[in-house]
Amino acid sequence: MALEKTFNAAEAESRIYADWETKGAFKAGANAQRDEHFSVMIPPPNVTGSLHMGHAFNNTLQDILVRWHRMQGFDTLWQPGQDHAGIATQMVVERELAATGQPGRRELGREAFTAKVWEQKQKSGGTIIDQLRRLGASCDWSRNAFTMSGAPGAPEGEEGNFHDAVIKVFVDMYNKGLIYRGKRLVNWDPHFETAISDLEVESTEVDGHMWHFKYPLAGGETYTYVEKDEDGNTLFEETRDYISIATTRPETMLGDGAVAVHPSDERYASIVGKLCEIPVGPKEQRRLIPIITDEYPDKNFGSGAVKITGAHDFNDYGVAKRNGIPLYALMDTQGQMRADGLPYDQAAARAQAIAEGREAAPEDATEINLVPEAYRGLDRFEARKRVVEDVTAEGLAVMTEATDPRLGRAAKKAPVEPGEGGEMRTEEENLVPLVEAKKIMQPFGDRSKVVIEPMLTDQWFVATDKIVQPAIDAVRSGEVTILPEQDRKVYFHWLENIEPWCISRQLWWGHQIPVWFDDEGNEYCAPTEAEAQAMAPGKTLRRDPDVLDTWFSSGLWPIGTLGWPEQTAELEKYFPTSVLVTGFDIIFFWVARMMMMQYAVVDQKPFDTVYVHALVRDEKGKKMSKSLGNVLDPLELIDDFGADAVRFTLTSMAAMGRDLKLSTQRIAGYRNFGTKLWNAHRFAEMNNVFDSMPAAMPQPQATLNKWIVGETARIREEVDAALGNFRFNDAANALYAFVWGKVCDWYVELSKPLLQDDAPEAEETRATMAWVLEQCLVLLHPIMPFITEELWQTTTKRDQLLALTDWPTYTTADLLDAEADRELNWVIGLIESIRSARQQMHVPAGLKVPMLVTEMDEAAQGAWNRNEVMIKRLARVESLERADSFPKGTVSIAAPGASFGLPLAGLIDIDAEKARLQKSLDKLGKEIGGLKGRLNNPKFAASAPEEVVAEAQANLDARQEEADQLQAALDRLAELG
């Protein structure tokens, strides 16, 4: 069947993929010819998610490795699956219920609501699978896994034992003392009313304020406050009866347990150990808290004194734990000021007794609600406003001049008004509260978009300090390799400073905690309620309503997808897995936790190698964001350019440890590469190359054919070496240079005379070209699977799919002919040099020019003689004449063993060309000077965004390269006279 004029990706891709699946090309073990296995676990996308550019990049790299190993005969498995994504999926369903006017989650109740979630999963769960198919992902979809398979309430079709595996691990770890329940500070989402992980928190710079307040010393005590410069000279001195603090969250003052200063801060040395008064709340119950020392405060930041609210700030939490300061929780699960617990007068009295040492600090201070009655039930931000108003009204705000630049632009412009009688106000009367206008980093829930609150709650934790060491040792010893090297540092940083892992979530969608409580609060951990009840005969039990963090279940992904705890054949064969391909942002959240969990559960590594890829950014280096409008949708790109072009673009830019800067222009360029490959096959078809495909590797005699066979062996070795070292970009770029440059350009062009029917080399050239193009398809297939499979099956009758064709093993030692290699590279180099000189000198493209030669050794003479016709035709050379020396106006052309020249005098206007080049050089010089000045400016380097600096450097590099080329051309012209 003749090839169409162009490759219709939109029509062909779905057809080709269906053919692969129908013929079992992706089944575990397909094309297996050796005992070695190669297994990859897909990082499970959210079950309700859609393919984004990060997925496209990640899965393209996995697919390349999987297809490459499958063709090499490894027993290969690419294990697919999806994560139940607790909070994300629950959010989708709740929004759907609201949009369709159905009862909400709480009205439905847990059982009915989770049934709705299962409905949503079955409705949309296949979306991401179909999208991965469009990308060409060669997963064994018959083994598709789901982190909630087999859970109670799962509908028909959702069978499996992943849920059982998760519950078994929880129970086993609980019984070993590796999981426990405790009250600790966690990230809390007031919208979803659940703890969330650090990965689900987006810290965003916003316009904020820092309020400065006075905490009066108890009993009216005073001290001398002295500010000194670096040399010890006194800058400012006054008597104070307060200590000044600054806060961005005034509402948390209500829960202060202390004020901390650095041990070396001389300004406060005389008042350390004394009590100060929190300047808010009913005056008759105003609380006193101690002034303590701790390494945490920075004496050079603000006043150097820090209020310690251990229940609402992660740094304060550490200070409080180190110094035995009670943790007073102020807010409920919705971010409102608490209305439960003791009445304020009783709570304040107890807190005062604790501060003065008359009562021991309780481990759990929950019942001590230090929110005054007037603030109880208020939203946290309304409470902030009220606290600021009340402190300011009492005269306990730190005051400053209205022109203080820290107040921001509006404050600076505020007019100073005269008093009621027309007289000007005194300096003191013109003071205003010190409220700094400043940028602050605000934590938001990545899905709820509300401000996250550090919250002291009862949660379940993994005692990570007891299971972390094997995960550290495995990487240090080389048992597990992390690439690139820089990401090992990230891995070690997390694990060597690890905190207890909060694994509980206050959701309904997920693996419910397998712990029951009796009326006395005793815990009974068991896989089922019946087993828990058997542990507590005669007692009424209630189950913990929380579910497990999705990172807990996905931490078991390598063994859970292979059927553990059953000792399946797949577990025996494919575990430990070979490679994990993942993003740098989940090194701790997923990679490290899989390492810890697999060692803790089965005492084995989960994988041999972790390849960590970077981020896909836009063409200017900015992170893709919906708010910026710079998101590239991979599905739209596949629609526009085809999957192969998208895949090749991503692969060509996948330099280890370096972010990608993606643009549609680059994708269009690689679509052209596919077109070039297609056209080479059309040329071959028109020359009857595929009429009789060689049964074995050709043994050519013609120099050209020997050369291209050797080049094919060279690229095979280069691609294998690159992929073996995860240098995906090197593999892609080498293939691009070989297929486009050496095959489609040079070989096709040079072969034309040899393909003539009367040429003695015609038959061997057809056989050689058929083999070379076949090898192009094989070597390109892992990166560009669709167009290669189409060409493979369309150009001639095949016994098997390209996807299951054996990967070649030939070497340069077998196929490279040194003499043919030297000769053809000499010819190509000469043609390229002549073309370059003509282009630089602006010689008209169609003009044939004479060429001179002053010297030529035997090898060069032979190469010229055997290829003269082709050199003259491709370089537009009219003749070659010997000369003793080059006349004035000749451009020299160097070649190994020969010295050529192009006499251009009279063919071009040398003076005009010089003037043109100089004008261009002068313009470039100004641009280069401006860019250098900008980049050498320390202020620009320090203040400009990283992507702006990188863009300026790239512009400079590009212009410098252009200037160098122009200068080389100008130098050549100078030789002409």
Side-chain angles (χ1 to χ4, degrees):
M1 184 175 72
L3 287 172
E4 297 291 336
K5 187 175 181 180
T6 58
F7 175 57
N8 185 345
E11 178 278 326
E13 288 173 356
S14 58
R15 168 174 50 80
I16 292 169
Y17 199 96
D19 191 39
W20 284 331
E21 287 204 277
T22 300
K23 294 176 179 174
F26 307 149
K27 290 273 190 179
N31 199 47
Q33 300 170 41
R34 53 171 85 179
D35 293 334
E36 299 158 279
H37 82 269
F38 182 81
S39 55
V40 175
M41 298 287 154
I42 198 170
N46 289 354
V47 71
T48 56
S50 295
L51 192 74
H52 56 62
M53 195 52 73
H55 287 140
F57 182 38
N58 178 277
N59 285 282
T60 293
L61 299 185
Q62 290 178 80
D63 194 44
I64 291 168
L65 293 174
V66 169
R67 287 179 182 270
W68 180 50
H69 280 88
R70 189 185 288 125
M71 294 171 79
Q72 287 180 309
F74 283 78
D75 187 338
T76 302
L77 166 65
W78 186 5
Q79 174 64 52
Q82 295 78 49
D83 190 278
H84 64 278
I87 195 169
T89 306
Q90 185 161 315
M91 178 186 73
V92 168
V93 175
E94 289 196 68
R95 285 180 177 173
E96 178 74 15
L97 293 174
T100 54
Q102 298 182 63
R105 173 168 65 96
R106 289 183 173 80
E107 289 79 10
L108 284 171
R110 185 167 194 148
E111 186 174 342
F113 176 76
T114 52
K116 291 284 186 184
V117 181
W118 278 113
E119 288 178 17
Q120 179 67 32
K121 187 270 176 186
Q122 294 193 307
K123 180 173 70 174
S124 63
T127 300
I128 191 75
I129 294 175
D130 292 339
Q131 292 170 343
L132 286 167
R133 284 186 168 105
R134 290 201 59 197
L135 184 69
S138 61
C139 303
D140 183 354
W141 296 112
S142 68
R143 294 187 47 80
N144 192 54
F146 182 49
T147 52
M148 282 282 284
S149 65
E156 186 177 349
E158 297 292 348
E159 296 83 6
N161 71 338
F162 208 103
H163 172 76
D164 294 340
V166 173
I167 297 303
K168 173 178 172 54
V169 168
F170 184 99
V171 173
D172 289 350
M173 292 182 74
Y174 176 93
N175 290 333
K176 293 176 182 176
L178 301 175
I179 289 178
Y180 64 92
R181 191 167 185 262
K183 191 182 291 289
R184 289 179 62 90
L185 207 60
V186 297
N187 294 309
W188 186 265
D189 189 315
H191 175 79
F192 291 115
E193 296 184 68
T194 181
I196 61 174
S197 71
D198 288 344
L199 190 65
E200 295 161 309
V201 178
E202 294 179 340
S203 290
T204 306
E205 188 177 69
V206 299
D207 292 325
H209 297 89
M210 180 173 280
W211 288 266
H212 291 250
F213 296 128
K214 299 176 181 179
Y215 280 43
L217 298 182
E221 286 204 42
T222 62
Y223 68 108
T224 301
Y225 177 84
V226 180
E227 287 276 4
K228 296 182 178 180
D229 63 18
E230 294 178 356
D231 299 323
N233 301 312
T234 298
L235 300 174
F236 173 77
E237 181 177 329
E238 73 172 0
T239 299
R240 288 185 175 178
D241 60 358
Y242 66 90
I243 186 169
S244 171
I245 63 94
T247 179
T248 59
R249 305 173 67 214
E251 70 279 10
T252 64
M253 293 164 60
L254 303 166
D256 287 352
V259 169
V261 297
H262 196 273
S264 65
D265 198 333
E266 298 177 356
R267 294 171 296 179
Y268 304 115
S270 64
I271 57 172
V272 169
K274 297 185 181 298
L275 299 176
C276 61
E277 181 182 284
I278 298 176
V280 66
K283 191 67 176 173
E284 60 276 12
Q285 285 127 13
R286 193 64 58 86
R287 287 199 302 119
L288 298 176
I289 57 175
I291 299 171
I292 65 169
T293 59
D294 192 90
E295 296 291 331
Y296 166 62
D298 180 355
K299 61 183 180 180
N300 297 314
F301 181 78
S303 69
V306 181
K307 58 187 275 315
I308 303 301
T309 317
H312 290 278
D313 182 275
F314 287 102
N315 290 317
D316 291 4
Y317 180 79
V319 177
K321 296 296 281 186
R322 286 193 295 272
N323 293 277
I325 298 168
L327 306 173
Y328 298 121
L330 301 172
M331 298 175 201
D332 65 18
T333 57
Q334 295 180 324
Q336 296 177 334
M337 308 308 287
R338 289 176 54 197
D340 62 341
L342 295 173
Y344 181 73
D345 57 349
Q346 296 179 33
R350 282 197 60 189
Q352 192 59 55
I354 294 168
E356 294 174 356
R358 293 182 284 108
E359 180 179 328
E363 281 192 23
D364 186 351
T366 303
E367 73 167 352
I368 304 176
N369 181 358
L370 293 176
V371 179
E373 310 294 347
Y375 304 143
R376 293 192 176 194
L378 292 179
D379 176 80
R380 53 188 164 155
F381 299 115
E382 177 61 26
R384 174 181 299 177
K385 179 181 174 184
R386 293 275 296 275
V387 167
V388 171
E389 290 174 349
D390 291 348
V391 175
T392 303
E394 197 169 323
L396 292 175
V398 173
M399 308 299 282
T400 189
E401 294 180 2
T403 55
D404 190 328
R406 291 175 295 175
L407 299 173
R409 292 177 183 172
K412 278 198 247 183
K413 294 177 181 177
V416 178
E417 308 234 351
E420 292 181 8
E423 73 283 0
M424 295 304 293
R425 295 185 179 183
T426 66
E427 183 178 341
E428 186 174 322
E429 289 173 324
N430 283 327
L431 297 180
V432 297
L434 175 52
V435 183
E436 289 187 64
K438 62 183 301 177
K439 298 287 187 180
I440 61 172
M441 295 304 295
Q442 189 94 67
F444 292 89
D446 66 343
R447 293 183 176 86
S448 68
K449 305 306 179 186
V450 302
V451 176
I452 296 306
E453 187 66 41
M455 188 79 76
L456 194 64
T457 59
D458 289 309
Q459 302 288 345
W460 289 95
F461 295 90
V462 172
T464 45
D465 60 320
K466 297 181 180 179
I467 64 171
V468 70
Q469 198 57 47
I472 294 174
D473 294 342
V475 177
R476 287 218 183 278
S477 68
E479 182 177 18
V480 175
T481 301
I482 296 179
L483 298 171
E485 181 73 22
Q486 65 202 44
D487 289 305
R488 284 166 49 95
K489 298 175 184 176
V490 176
Y491 179 85
F492 289 132
H493 171 76
W494 276 107
L495 294 191
E496 290 170 352
N497 297 278
I498 200 160
E499 294 284 337
W501 173 15
C502 176
I503 57 170
S504 48
R505 298 291 182 264
Q506 290 62 54
L507 304 169
W508 286 354
W509 174 241
H511 302 280
Q512 192 170 354
I513 303 286
V515 175
W516 285 258
F517 300 94
D518 62 22
D519 292 339
E520 289 79 41
N522 297 311
E523 299 171 2
Y524 305 91
C525 180
T528 65
E529 184 173 6
E531 291 172 86
Q533 192 66 66
M535 298 164 66
K539 293 189 176 184
T540 301
L541 301 181
R542 60 176 180 81
R543 187 172 186 175
D544 191 310
D546 291 353
V547 299
L548 285 165
D549 172 21
T550 53
W551 293 109
F552 184 87
S553 49
S554 63
L556 302 171
W557 189 245
I559 54 174
T561 53
L562 296 174
W564 185 91
E566 296 178 25
Q567 294 304 306
T568 63
E570 291 81 5
L571 187 66
E572 177 69 24
K573 182 185 295 185
Y574 298 116
F575 184 84
T577 65
S578 306
V579 179
L580 176 73
V581 179
T582 188
F584 71 91
D585 53 337
I586 54 174
I587 291 174
F588 173 68
F589 293 96
W590 193 44
V591 178
R593 287 169 177 173
M594 280 192 288
M595 289 282 284
M596 288 191 293
M597 294 293 278
Q598 258 64 207
Y599 278 112
V601 174
V602 296
D603 196 25
Q604 282 184 278
K605 62 182 178 182
F607 23 70
D608 297 323
T609 302
V610 180
Y611 174 80
V612 182
H613 62 72
L615 191 68
V616 183
R617 298 181 179 271
D618 73 6
E619 59 187 309
K620 294 182 178 179
K622 291 183 179 179
K623 188 175 180 179
M624 292 187 189
S625 162
K626 290 181 179 178
S627 61
L628 293 176
N630 63 344
V631 173
L632 291 176
D633 184 336
L635 297 174
E636 291 179 2
L637 295 174
I638 290 172
D639 287 339
D640 293 341
F641 302 104
D644 291 317
V646 173
R647 289 169 59 112
F648 201 95
T649 305
L650 293 170
T651 309
S652 71
M653 301 174 72
M656 195 177 294
R658 191 187 310 159
D659 288 347
L660 288 74
K661 295 181 182 178
L662 191 63
S663 69
T664 54
Q665 289 88 347
R666 292 198 69 149
I667 301 171
Y670 287 119
R671 179 182 58 186
N672 295 341
F673 174 58
T675 301
K676 189 80 171 178
L677 177 70
W678 187 269
N679 288 340
H681 281 76
R682 290 188 70 228
F683 168 83
E685 184 181 64
M686 288 186 287
N687 284 276
N688 305 316
V689 165
F690 304 119
D691 288 356
S692 55
M693 294 290 288
M697 184 180 297
Q699 303 293 323
Q701 300 303 308
T703 302
L704 174 64
N705 294 326
K706 288 180 180 179
W707 167 76
I708 196 62
V709 167
E711 289 293 335
T712 304
R714 182 178 278 139
I715 193 62
R716 199 282 303 165
E717 291 178 339
E718 197 171 338
V719 169
D720 275 359
L723 292 181
N725 288 287
F726 302 94
R727 300 195 315 269
F728 296 95
N729 60 313
D730 288 348
N733 295 329
L735 281 167
Y736 183 91
F738 170 73
V739 173
W740 187 304
K742 292 184 177 175
V743 176
C744 297
D745 276 354
W746 288 112
Y747 182 60
V748 166
E749 194 63 43
L750 294 170
S751 69
K752 287 178 180 177
L754 279 63
L755 287 170
Q756 301 300 313
D757 290 336
D758 57 351
E761 306 92 347
E763 184 176 344
E764 82 160 53
T765 302
R766 289 191 181 95
T768 302
M769 184 174 287
W771 180 81
V772 169
L773 289 175
E774 184 177 79
Q775 297 311 300
C776 288
L777 299 181
V778 173
L779 296 172
L780 278 170
H781 180 75
I783 306 176
M784 304 180 80
F786 290 107
I787 192 171
T788 53
E789 187 73 71
E790 182 79 340
L791 286 168
W792 177 266
Q793 300 206 34
T794 307
T795 50
T796 190
K797 182 176 176 56
R798 305 283 186 177
D799 295 332
Q800 62 183 347
L801 297 166
L802 175 56
L804 296 179
T805 295
D806 292 343
W807 189 262
T809 57
Y810 46 74
T811 66
T812 51
D814 301 326
L815 302 183
L816 184 69
D817 184 299
E819 185 56 33
D821 186 65
R822 187 202 66 77
E823 179 172 314
L824 260 295
N825 285 323
W826 185 91
V827 169
I828 290 171
L830 176 58
I831 295 171
E832 287 178 335
S833 295
I834 297 170
R835 285 175 170 177
S836 176
R838 291 175 60 113
Q839 184 178 18
Q840 284 185 337
M841 298 298 101
H842 266 215
V843 176
L847 180 65
K848 287 190 174 183
V849 298
M851 191 161 73
L852 303 175
V853 60
T854 57
E855 56 180 292
M856 194 184 304
D857 64 17
E858 185 178 348
Q861 184 69 62
W864 174 271
N865 293 341
R866 288 185 289 273
N867 299 278
E868 180 178 3
V869 174
M870 188 56 61
I871 295 170
K872 287 180 175 179
R873 184 168 72 85
L874 294 182
R876 309 297 290 168
V877 171
E878 186 176 43
S879 61
L880 178 67
E881 295 182 15
R882 288 217 172 242
D884 294 330
S885 62
F886 293 138
K888 186 176 181 181
T890 301
V891 174
S892 60
I893 307 289
S899 180
F900 296 99
L902 292 178
L904 299 181
L907 296 179
I908 62 172
D909 187 331
I910 295 176
D911 290 337
E913 283 299 309
K914 283 183 177 178
R916 180 185 65 81
L917 290 173
Q918 191 61 57
K919 184 178 179 181
S920 297
L921 264 176
D922 292 343
K923 182 182 177 182
L924 273 174
K926 290 179 181 179
E927 294 180 20
I928 290 170
L931 286 166
K932 283 183 174 179
R934 195 178 181 199
L935 286 164
N936 291 333
N937 185 340
K939 290 184 179 179
F940 173 72
S943 60
E946 184 179 337
E947 62 268 17
V948 173
V949 176
E951 184 179 4
Q953 184 63 55
N955 286 339
L956 174 61
D957 294 342
R959 280 157 178 74
Q960 188 62 59
E961 182 179 356
E962 185 180 353
D964 292 343
Q965 292 173 352
L966 290 175
Q967 186 61 57
L970 197 58
D971 292 344
R972 269 191 158 167
L973 281 171
E975 296 174 10
L976 303 185

